[in-house]
Amino acid sequence: MFPVYIYSDSPSQSLVMQGVTGFLSDLGLSVEFRGDFLSCLSLGEEEMAEIESLLSRARVFNIETPVDFLETHLLSEPFEKELYDGFWIQRIFSRFFLRKRPGELAKSGFHAVITGRLLGTYGSRRYHARVVISGFPSFVSTSGLVEGPARPREYYFLKAEFIRSGKDLSELNEAFRGKFVDYEDERITKITGSYVLQPLLHHFSGKEFCENSGCVLFNSHWQKEVLDIQYSGFLCAECESEIRKVAKRR
Ligand SMILES: [Zn+2]
């Protein structure tokens, strides 16, 4: 059976990994949770220091400027919403994986890291928060679920008002509670499971999204869509049969 390897990386407190792996197993996939990605590589002290330094260079300091990997910043320097350049994080993780487990890449398998880090990709003159980064390894970011898909239009309208009048934004968040995925939201587990299927399908067919707005592989842009569609965990017949085909591969 084709193996699906799931890892975590500073995960959200409300994420129940068993919920994610259970959802995938129910689709016939052979899933193994390997724990924290970097711990699983058993890095030595020097390698840990090396990776820390590389990860710090992948931080986004200005949302309108692509990360310059050769530039060094002080670790204490504040950066945008703790945002990282998703492709750099991916390169760093894959580099260490290849170094520590060179034999494993030749074997078939899909590797996805469920991360609490906020990952962005640069395009149209600024960084955009992403829920999914496909590739090796693939990432599903629980912080991306909060910051990526747009909140209701009224939220942004009121937010501007709140900022103008110096009011506390937590009041606004309270008023809109339940209308968007929040940090430590208990719905994160179910939604994350759905999102793992996107890079998985992409890995096999190049297809990342489904046109069916009732299917978890639909490309949601709004929080409301995420809460309706990805939270439902429903796959259309065509996508479900594709995922079950993946499960049967070797
Ligand atoms: Zn579908």
Side-chain angles (χ1 to χ4, degrees):
M1 281 245 286
F2 181 81
V4 172
Y5 299 110
I6 304 286
Y7 308 81
S8 61
D9 171 46
S10 19
S12 151
Q13 292 285 312
S14 54
L15 182 74
V16 183
M17 203 51 91
Q18 271 179 332
V20 175
T21 53
F23 171 72
L24 300 171
S25 307
D26 286 349
L27 288 166
L29 294 161
S30 159
V31 189
E32 181 186 327
F33 175 53
R34 289 182 155 179
D36 180 78
F37 184 85
L38 296 177
S39 311
C40 160
L41 296 182
S42 339
L43 303 171
E45 221 169 284
E46 262 176 46
E47 286 170 314
M48 271 314 280
E50 184 187 350
I51 207 162
E52 286 298 332
S53 138
L54 293 173
L55 291 174
S56 74
R57 282 198 251 165
R59 294 172 298 170
V60 174
F61 283 91
N62 180 343
I63 206 152
E64 289 171 357
T65 315
V67 164
D68 177 356
F69 206 65
L70 297 175
E71 208 177 319
T72 46
H73 292 270
L74 291 172
L75 277 169
S76 54
E77 210 171 314
F79 62 113
E80 287 276 357
K81 275 189 181 170
E82 310 276 315
L83 178 68
Y84 291 84
D85 182 301
F87 290 127
W88 274 114
I89 293 287
Q90 188 175 54
R91 280 182 204 118
I92 296 165
F93 275 38
S94 71
R95 185 207 277 195
F96 279 83
F97 189 90
L98 294 177
R99 195 194 285 179
K100 303 298 282 190
R101 300 191 170 211
E104 215 174 318
L105 203 63
K107 297 183 204 149
S108 71
F110 169 76
H111 301 259
V113 184
I114 315 296
T115 181
R117 289 180 211 268
L118 183 58
L119 306 178
T121 57
Y122 189 85
S124 313
R125 293 200 215 139
R126 63 182 291 263
Y127 273 94
H128 300 269
R130 296 284 175 213
V131 181
V132 169
I133 307 270
S134 290
F136 177 79
S138 292
F139 288 90
V140 175
S141 163
T142 52
S143 303
L145 281 175
V146 180
E147 306 288 347
R151 295 178 184 187
R153 283 184 210 283
E154 307 80 59
Y155 176 89
Y156 296 104
F157 176 74
L158 288 166
K159 186 178 174 186
E161 283 289 309
F162 267 59
I163 291 171
R164 229 189 328 265
S165 56
K167 276 201 257 177
D168 186 0
L169 279 179
S170 63
E171 248 173 77
L172 178 66
N173 287 343
E174 194 53 43
F176 278 81
R177 188 206 278 271
K179 295 212 161 69
F180 55 82
V181 182
D182 211 342
Y183 288 99
E184 307 314 336
D185 194 312
E186 59 180 23
R187 294 172 293 188
I188 278 179
T189 296
K190 213 171 161 197
I191 297 170
T192 299
S194 296
Y195 270 105
V196 173
L197 298 177
Q198 281 186 13
L200 178 68
L201 203 58
H202 186 253
H203 182 84
F204 285 98
S205 59
K207 168 181 156 177
E208 204 163 2
F209 304 118
C210 175
E211 297 296 312
N212 185 334
S213 63
C215 173
V216 297
L217 284 136
F218 182 74
N219 186 11
S220 292
H221 287 96
W222 294 89
Q223 288 282 340
K224 187 177 183 330
E225 291 172 324
V226 172
L227 290 171
D228 286 347
I229 305 166
Q230 272 76 28
Y231 182 65
S232 79
F234 176 80
L235 277 111
C236 74
E238 196 186 319
C239 290
E240 181 162 350
S241 104
E242 284 205 51
I243 295 288
R244 290 196 182 270
K245 256 189 261 165
V246 168
K248 289 199 194 96
R249 289 171 82 125
R250 292 196 171 267

mmCIF file of all heavy atoms in Angstrom, residues 207 210-212 215-217 235-236 238-239, ligand 1:
data_model
loop_
_atom_site.group_PDB
_atom_site.id
_atom_site.type_symbol
_atom_site.label_atom_id
_atom_site.label_comp_id
_atom_site.label_asym_id
_atom_site.label_seq_id
_atom_site.Cartn_x
_atom_site.Cartn_y
_atom_site.Cartn_z
ATOM 1 N N LYS A 207 -3.265 17.695 -10.282
ATOM 2 C CA LYS A 207 -4.510 18.416 -10.015
ATOM 3 C C LYS A 207 -4.550 18.752 -8.526
ATOM 4 O O LYS A 207 -4.283 17.903 -7.684
ATOM 5 C CB LYS A 207 -5.691 17.505 -10.382
ATOM 6 C CG LYS A 207 -7.044 17.983 -9.914
ATOM 7 C CD LYS A 207 -8.128 16.982 -10.308
ATOM 8 C CE LYS A 207 -9.327 17.110 -9.391
ATOM 9 N NZ LYS A 207 -10.432 16.229 -9.735
ATOM 10 N N CYS A 210 -10.700 20.935 -7.048
ATOM 11 C CA CYS A 210 -11.867 20.368 -7.700
ATOM 12 C C CYS A 210 -12.843 21.527 -7.921
ATOM 13 O O CYS A 210 -12.951 22.431 -7.112
ATOM 14 C CB CYS A 210 -12.476 19.314 -6.774
ATOM 15 S SG CYS A 210 -14.015 18.614 -7.361
ATOM 16 N N GLU A 211 -13.545 21.478 -9.041
ATOM 17 C CA GLU A 211 -14.496 22.551 -9.376
ATOM 18 C C GLU A 211 -15.762 22.473 -8.534
ATOM 19 O O GLU A 211 -16.502 23.442 -8.412
ATOM 20 C CB GLU A 211 -14.904 22.449 -10.849
ATOM 21 C CG GLU A 211 -13.762 22.636 -11.841
ATOM 22 C CD GLU A 211 -13.172 24.029 -11.764
ATOM 23 O OE1 GLU A 211 -13.966 24.997 -11.767
ATOM 24 O OE2 GLU A 211 -11.936 24.148 -11.681
ATOM 25 N N ASN A 212 -16.013 21.296 -7.981
ATOM 26 C CA ASN A 212 -17.240 21.073 -7.218
ATOM 27 C C ASN A 212 -17.174 21.804 -5.868
ATOM 28 O O ASN A 212 -16.341 21.476 -5.013
ATOM 29 C CB ASN A 212 -17.397 19.558 -7.010
ATOM 30 C CG ASN A 212 -18.695 19.193 -6.323
ATOM 31 O OD1 ASN A 212 -19.276 19.989 -5.588
ATOM 32 N ND2 ASN A 212 -19.148 17.975 -6.552
ATOM 33 N N CYS A 215 -17.033 19.862 -2.548
ATOM 34 C CA CYS A 215 -15.973 18.868 -2.342
ATOM 35 C C CYS A 215 -14.784 19.488 -1.604
ATOM 36 O O CYS A 215 -14.403 20.620 -1.889
ATOM 37 C CB CYS A 215 -15.539 18.354 -3.720
ATOM 38 S SG CYS A 215 -14.113 17.276 -3.702
ATOM 39 N N VAL A 216 -14.185 18.751 -0.670
ATOM 40 C CA VAL A 216 -13.080 19.312 0.136
ATOM 41 C C VAL A 216 -11.869 19.733 -0.693
ATOM 42 O O VAL A 216 -11.011 20.450 -0.200
ATOM 43 C CB VAL A 216 -12.586 18.336 1.234
ATOM 44 C CG1 VAL A 216 -13.672 18.047 2.234
ATOM 45 C CG2 VAL A 216 -12.028 17.062 0.638
ATOM 46 N N LEU A 217 -11.821 19.301 -1.958
ATOM 47 C CA LEU A 217 -10.699 19.728 -2.795
ATOM 48 C C LEU A 217 -10.985 21.037 -3.535
ATOM 49 O O LEU A 217 -10.187 21.487 -4.349
ATOM 50 C CB LEU A 217 -10.309 18.608 -3.753
ATOM 51 C CG LEU A 217 -9.542 17.523 -2.987
ATOM 52 C CD1 LEU A 217 -9.989 16.143 -3.365
ATOM 53 C CD2 LEU A 217 -8.055 17.689 -3.187
ATOM 54 N N LEU A 235 -16.107 14.449 0.135
ATOM 55 C CA LEU A 235 -15.427 14.419 -1.167
ATOM 56 C C LEU A 235 -16.432 14.054 -2.241
ATOM 57 O O LEU A 235 -17.262 13.157 -2.033
ATOM 58 C CB LEU A 235 -14.370 13.316 -1.176
ATOM 59 C CG LEU A 235 -13.019 13.634 -0.573
ATOM 60 C CD1 LEU A 235 -12.833 12.865 0.703
ATOM 61 C CD2 LEU A 235 -11.933 13.246 -1.563
ATOM 62 N N CYS A 236 -16.328 14.685 -3.406
ATOM 63 C CA CYS A 236 -17.210 14.297 -4.502
ATOM 64 C C CYS A 236 -16.794 12.893 -4.960
ATOM 65 O O CYS A 236 -15.672 12.439 -4.673
ATOM 66 C CB CYS A 236 -17.133 15.302 -5.652
ATOM 67 S SG CYS A 236 -15.640 15.222 -6.634
ATOM 68 N N GLU A 238 -15.893 11.640 -7.743
ATOM 69 C CA GLU A 238 -14.711 11.550 -8.601
ATOM 70 C C GLU A 238 -13.415 11.659 -7.787
ATOM 71 O O GLU A 238 -12.486 10.872 -7.953
ATOM 72 C CB GLU A 238 -14.776 12.694 -9.627
ATOM 73 C CG GLU A 238 -13.843 12.516 -10.788
ATOM 74 C CD GLU A 238 -13.849 13.756 -11.671
ATOM 75 O OE1 GLU A 238 -14.957 14.320 -11.897
ATOM 76 O OE2 GLU A 238 -12.769 14.162 -12.096
ATOM 77 N N CYS A 239 -13.371 12.642 -6.866
ATOM 78 C CA CYS A 239 -12.167 12.826 -6.043
ATOM 79 C C CYS A 239 -11.983 11.647 -5.097
ATOM 80 O O CYS A 239 -10.866 11.194 -4.872
ATOM 81 C CB CYS A 239 -12.226 14.132 -5.262
ATOM 82 S SG CYS A 239 -12.064 15.576 -6.325
HETATM 83 ZN ZN ZN B 1 -13.984 16.739 -5.950
#
